[in-house]
């Protein structure tokens, strides 16, 4: 009788577990059959990282817009700024809005460069992750993912700024025959800009192919970021 009672109790305990397991399997199969549900489940599972990325996009946008507005006001306040009718309307447009957008993007790049070293501070990140409260709100386990995201974001912003600058100078030099902009192609600030873009392209290529090349090569090329920071300092203080 005791054995029968024990067996019955065990079956009663195991039955809910089996039902839950079957329910989980059915739910997982249902989620796999729908792309939308897969995306929703991924967002829920990585919600801390998603919130962090959303905050980063918002802050980057704020930095970009703020310094774009600052540059716009600076240009409008410059003495003799194209209010004498000497420039055609299209030239006024390019000379007003292109530097405005590019100036904002440059500060958005600097914002990424300020965040990147924080993601590489492994000892600090490890110590902070031991805090139970911080661990609940910050995705310390995905810090490498955030580092990669910051790197690609910075590279895209640099490529955008470089292409915009080249387009802007080419337009005013060739189409409007502005000698000041023609000489700007060989200026010191443009040289440092070309160097920054070249260094980042090396990092981009090795990062994208990190699974196809030796780790030592990937690691060594990543140290070009140190030179990148130094050249960026020269580029920022140059005029």
């Amino acid at each position: 009788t005791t054995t029968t009672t024990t067996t019955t109790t065990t079956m009663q305990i195991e039955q809910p577990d089996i039902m839950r397991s079957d329910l989980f399997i059915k739910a997982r199969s249902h989620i796999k059959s729908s792309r939308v549900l897969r995306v929703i489940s991924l967002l829920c599972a990585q919600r801390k990282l998603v919130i962090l990325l959303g905050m980063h996009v918002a802050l980057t946008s704020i930095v970009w817009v703020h310094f774009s507005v600052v540059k716009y006001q600076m240009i409008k306040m410059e003495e003799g700024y194209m209010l004498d009718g000497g420039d055609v309307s299209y030239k006024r447009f390019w000379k007003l809005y292109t530097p405005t957008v590019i100036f904002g993007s440059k500060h958005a790049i600097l914002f990424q460069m300020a965040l990147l070293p924080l993601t590489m501070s492994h000892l600090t990140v490890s110590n902070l992750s031991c805090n139970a409260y911080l661990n609940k709100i910050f995705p310390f386990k995905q810090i490498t993912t955030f580092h990669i995201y910051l790197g690609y974001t910075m590279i895209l912003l640099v490529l955008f700024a470089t292409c915009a600058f080249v387009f802007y100078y080419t337009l005013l030099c060739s189409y409007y025959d502005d000698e000041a902009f023609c000489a700007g192609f060989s200026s010191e600030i443009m040289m440092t800009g070309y160097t920054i873009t070249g260094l980042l392209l090396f990092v981009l290529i090795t990062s994208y192919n990190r699974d196809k090349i030796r780790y030592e090569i990937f690691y060594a090329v990543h140290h070009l970021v140190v030179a990148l920071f130094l050249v960026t300092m020269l580029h920022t203080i140059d005029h």
Side-chain angles (χ1 to χ4, degrees):
T1 305
T2 305
T3 303
T4 303
T5 303
T6 304
T7 303
T8 303
T9 304
T10 303
M11 291 177 61
Q12 291 175 347
I13 294 173
E14 291 178 351
Q15 188 174 5
D17 293 336
I18 295 173
M19 293 177 61
R20 283 195 295 269
S21 177
D22 291 340
L23 181 62
F24 175 77
I25 293 173
K26 291 179 180 179
R28 185 171 59 181
S29 300
H30 183 65
I31 290 173
K32 285 184 176 180
S33 64
S34 173
R35 181 175 297 179
V36 175
L37 290 178
R38 287 202 303 271
V39 172
I40 293 174
S41 63
L42 178 63
L43 293 177
C44 291
Q46 302 292 339
R47 56 190 177 276
K48 290 191 290 186
L49 179 61
V50 171
I51 293 173
L52 178 62
L53 297 181
M55 292 175 61
H56 170 264
V57 171
L59 291 174
T60 299
S61 301
I62 291 172
V63 171
W64 193 330
V65 172
H66 169 75
F67 284 99
S68 293
V69 172
V70 170
K71 184 64 174 179
Y72 177 84
Q73 293 174 342
M74 288 170 58
I75 295 175
K76 294 289 286 186
M77 292 176 61
E78 282 182 358
E79 184 178 0
Y81 162 71
M82 295 176 297
L83 298 178
D84 55 358
D87 288 325
V88 297
S89 58
Y90 284 121
K91 189 175 181 181
R92 290 185 182 183
F93 174 84
W94 291 115
K95 294 183 75 172
L96 176 61
Y97 292 105
T98 306
T100 295
V101 175
I102 295 175
F103 191 75
S105 69
K106 288 170 63 177
H107 284 80
I109 294 167
L110 294 176
F111 180 57
Q112 315 309 311
M113 296 182 69
L115 293 177
L116 271 172
L118 300 179
T119 62
M120 295 183 288
S121 305
H122 298 299
L123 180 60
T124 302
V125 171
S126 178
N127 291 332
L128 290 174
S129 64
C130 295
N131 186 295
Y133 177 74
L134 290 177
N135 208 23
K136 289 181 180 179
I137 61 176
F138 193 87
F140 289 105
K141 292 182 179 180
Q142 287 85 25
I143 197 67
T144 302
T145 302
F146 186 57
H147 171 81
I148 295 172
Y149 161 79
L150 285 177
Y152 281 123
T153 301
M154 185 180 73
I155 290 172
L156 289 175
L157 289 173
V158 169
L159 291 177
F160 167 80
T162 304
C163 293
F165 252 120
V166 171
F167 169 78
Y168 175 56
Y169 274 62
T170 301
L171 179 68
L172 294 182
C173 173
S174 60
Y175 189 77
Y176 293 105
D177 198 22
D178 194 322
E179 294 183 1
F181 286 91
C182 294
F185 280 108
S186 57
S187 63
E188 184 179 348
I189 193 169
M190 288 296 284
M191 292 297 105
T192 54
Y194 298 149
T195 304
I196 291 170
T197 305
L199 291 173
L200 277 178
L201 286 176
F202 274 113
V203 176
L204 171 64
I205 293 170
T206 54
S207 297
Y208 186 78
N209 296 286
R210 61 185 179 276
D211 297 329
K212 301 177 182 179
I213 61 176
R214 293 173 55 188
Y215 175 77
E216 291 79 5
I217 298 176
F218 165 79
Y219 185 73
V221 173
H222 249 60
H223 280 78
L224 291 175
V225 175
V226 178
L228 171 68
F229 273 74
L230 295 176
V231 177
T232 303
M233 291 173 60
L234 297 174
H235 182 78
T236 304
I237 64 177
D238 202 356
H239 296 283

